[in-house]
Amino acid sequence: HLLALGHRNIVFLASDPGLRNIAERTQGYRSVLQESGFGDLARVIVSGDKAIDGERAMRAVLAESNRPSAVFTSTHILAMGALRAIWSAGLHIPQSISLLTFDESVWMTALRPFLSVIYQPVEEIAQAIWSTMTERLAGRTSPPVHLDLQCSLIERESTGKCSAVED
């Protein structure tokens, strides 16, 4: 999505890379940039898992001379911190910098700009967990469950065309 909008300098803020979902999200970011011919521009910043960690990491990124045109966060909690840092720097989303995150949350549409997100099918995940749990509670053993579920983009106001791209 960000590449289609003309962004190339896209920073990825990752929380705990030891968590499988975060490692997969980070690898997905790297893979998409690599496949698009921009692998050398990949920048992953490991920031911790709290909003304050995202804010500190984003402040450091914004202080660099090569400020990114977009930031992609591995969790909505980091997005909250990144948002605070961007606002504190006097920047405007998406005019100055685009922001995209994983995980839908009610606050994504509570503040302007509404945040664009990579939505995970939470209901399907919950159903799979419930089914596995009830089977095991009933005494039936089952092998570990591995599901590959399709995520989707919910495009809102926080992502826009890269200002460096010609009309």
Side-chain angles (χ1 to χ4, degrees):
H1 171 64
L2 294 171
L3 290 171
L5 292 171
H7 297 280
R8 301 298 179 260
N9 188 355
I10 305 165
V11 167
F12 188 76
L13 295 186
S15 58
D16 183 351
L19 296 174
R20 182 176 158 199
N21 64 327
I22 302 305
E24 289 176 352
R25 292 170 187 189
T26 303
Q27 184 55 46
Y29 159 81
R30 289 183 191 278
S31 295
V32 168
L33 284 180
Q34 187 66 40
E35 291 165 10
S36 301
F38 303 107
D40 58 327
L41 298 177
R43 286 198 297 161
V44 175
I45 310 295
V46 177
S47 62
D49 60 0
K50 296 177 180 59
I52 191 67
D53 299 323
E55 184 174 358
R56 284 185 192 125
M58 193 71 228
R59 284 182 192 273
V61 166
L62 293 175
E64 296 174 1
S65 60
N66 184 23
R67 189 180 81 210
S69 63
V71 61
F72 187 15
T73 66
S74 65
T75 69
H76 70 279
I77 301 298
L78 292 182
M80 190 181 311
L83 190 60
R84 287 195 305 235
I86 291 166
W87 284 342
S88 293
L91 300 174
H92 300 281
I93 300 170
Q95 298 85 351
S96 306
I97 189 168
S98 285
L99 176 60
L100 177 65
T101 189
F102 274 94
D103 303 329
E104 176 71 340
S105 176
V106 295
W107 75 267
M108 300 296 177
T109 56
L111 302 170
R112 295 311 269 277
F114 296 160
L115 294 190
S116 297
V117 300
I118 303 298
Y119 173 78
Q120 300 180 85
V122 176
E123 294 82 13
E124 292 178 52
I125 295 168
Q127 182 58 48
I129 292 169
W130 180 255
S131 295
T132 302
M133 186 180 73
T134 56
E135 286 292 310
R136 291 184 181 166
L137 287 173
R140 294 184 286 275
T141 59
S142 59
V145 177
H146 177 82
L147 296 174
D148 287 320
L149 300 173
Q150 189 66 36
C151 293
S152 58
L153 171 69
I154 300 175
E155 187 176 352
R156 295 194 179 114
E157 301 167 343
S158 68
T159 53
K161 189 174 181 183
C162 182
S163 59
V165 175
E166 299 287 324
D167 287 324

